[in-house]
Structures are given as C-alpha cells and as structure tokens.
Amino acid sequence: MSVHLAALAGQGRRYGITGHEMKDMRREAGAWIEDSAGKEVPIRGACHLGRATMNQVVVPDPLVSRRHALIQAQGDAEYWLVDFGSRNGTYLNNQRIAQPSRLNDGDEVRIGGSNYVFRQAEHDRLASTFSGGVDQTVFDVRLDNAWLLVADIIGSTQLISHLPPDELPLMTGKWLATCRDTIESCGGRINQFMGDGFFACWRDHPGREADIVQAMQALHQQQLQAHPPFRCVIHLGPVVFGGMAIGEEERISGGEVHFAFRMEKLAGQLEVPCLLSGPVKARLAGLLLTHDAGSHVLPGFQDAVGFHAWSGQG
C-alpha cells in the first residue's frame, strides 16, 4: 500500500531523520503526485486514482468514478496518465484527455474537484534521456518465452476530428478499461499504454494457450462492436525480462518485442483485424481457424516469414 510522503516527513521529525534524508527518500520514489494540501503519494509501477478505497489515491467525490484514472510508469522512466472512460473526465493542464498522455514534471492533473501536481525526481528525468549514469534498481536478467499482444485503434485521427469532444474520451477510456480487465483476467498484463493503443504480454507456460484464446475471443467481441474500431496482433517468442526497473515492474525488451510492433504496422497494411505470427499459429493449431496472410519481410528484419489472419472463427 502506498504511504503518503508527508506522513513520512512527520515520522522523520519524530525519529530524528534530517531534511536531507527525507529529500533522498522522496527522490527514491522516482515520481509522485502532490495534492493541494501538500500531501505526496509516490508512484511505484502504477498509481490508481478514484473513489473506491482500493485506489492508491482515494478521492471521495461523487464526480469521481470508482476506478477513474491511472498513472503508470513505463518505458525509460516515462509516466503516462490514462482515463478509464470516466463520465466527468480526467484533465491534464486544464485539457480533458482523450487518450493515454505522457506526463512531465510540473503537469497539473484534475479529477472531479481535486487537483494534483505530477512531480518527477531529477535522477528519474535524466533516466528518460540517458541510458546510463543513474542509480537505478537492476533486476536479474532472464530470457523467457512470452506471448506479446499489440492493439491499436484504427483511424484514431479521424475519430478525433469526427466525434464530439466529450464522446471520444468516454469511448477510448472504456475501451482501455475493458481491454485491461480482459487481459488481466486471462493472466496477462498491459505493459505499456500508447497514445492510441497498448502493448500486453503473458509469460509462457504449459496450458497458456487457453488463456490466449480466451483473451482473443473477448477482444474479438469488442472488435465486432467497433467502438472504437481496432486491430490486434499476437506474437510468441523469447524476450528479455529484467534489467532496469520500470517502477516496480521488470522491463520487457528484445528483438521479438520490436517484431510484434512491426507486425501491427503490417496488419494495418493488410487490413487484417487480428494477425498472428507463425509461432502463435503453431501453438494454437486446432484451437482456432485461420487463413494464410502471406509471407512478408518486416522492417529491420532480414527474412520473409509467414503470417496468419484470424477472423473470430473457431
């Protein structure tokens, strides 16, 4: 459970901790949000904001949804603000966000009648610019197989220009919240939110196929609603877990991650709603009906490989 850093300051005075030591404790959090009363809540991995008591930041306000918004650490010391389709919206620097938005030190966040300032420690800001020279926790590095899913809204630019300003954030926020619930209920997690989509992963193990098929079927039902229209791709391969920490999460990296993102671009070119790589097709053989989507060379990769399209059958 997150602890208010302001409360830590009081304990610091009680136990003789110096101001410099308290500053170091705050900086170790990497980033935090500060409310109008000066209370600070550290952001370690993910920080949920909402009316429900399970949130790290509880906002007892009838204008605030139970699960209203999320601040998530991802990438190279990046922090993203995500609204989960709240009726009254999440505001970043007085602008209602319609999609996941990156935060910068000093940004103002407003939900309901509550205002917060996002703060990022200097060493954390430097980590997003330089790959070395900063004191970060290093996780044990391991190479494991993982299922990788990239989802992306189709025609997000057109949606922004055609939908009423208040409708787009509701639609995209609810979509993100539903996708997140689907993936987590099937044993995976969203590792990265992007402006118009997300990247999710599952560690591979025997029997994982059932989780993947369940997630695919649930996402397909959302695709049928086309609210918003989106496509997804699924790849299976060895990725690197570990290295520098992302909040309290491990980093996921490697060539197979880049391959999955290149697949998403290919799916757009082919106009395929759900594109599977060869390894995924092989593992899900007999569980899904697919058709050949041809052999293609992805940018940054040398050899042509086969891909398969799934239309929700089987």
Side-chain angles (χ1 to χ4, degrees), residues 260-275:
F261 278 92
R262 298 292 189 271
M263 275 185 65
E264 192 278 322
K265 299 299 182 185
L266 176 63
Q269 296 168 9
L270 300 176
E271 297 185 348
V272 172
C274 184
L275 188 67

Side-chain angles (χ1 to χ4, degrees), residues 140-208:
D140 183 34
V141 176
R142 301 179 302 284
L143 188 67
D144 289 327
N145 263 9
W147 299 77
L148 310 175
L149 183 149
V150 180
D152 187 62
I153 294 175
I154 300 172
S156 57
T157 303
Q158 289 78 8
L159 287 175
I160 292 173
S161 60
H162 289 95
L163 287 176
D166 290 342
E167 184 176 339
L168 181 62
L170 283 173
M171 180 177 67
T172 57
K174 289 180 178 178
W175 174 70
L176 286 171
T178 302
C179 288
R180 187 184 189 212
D181 290 345
T182 293
I183 289 166
E184 291 185 352
S185 68
C186 296
R189 67 181 176 88
I190 292 183
N191 179 261
Q192 181 179 349
F193 288 99
M194 300 168 287
D196 50 6
F198 61 86
F199 166 59
C201 76
W202 288 256
R203 285 183 180 272
D204 190 26
H205 61 64
R208 180 61 89 186

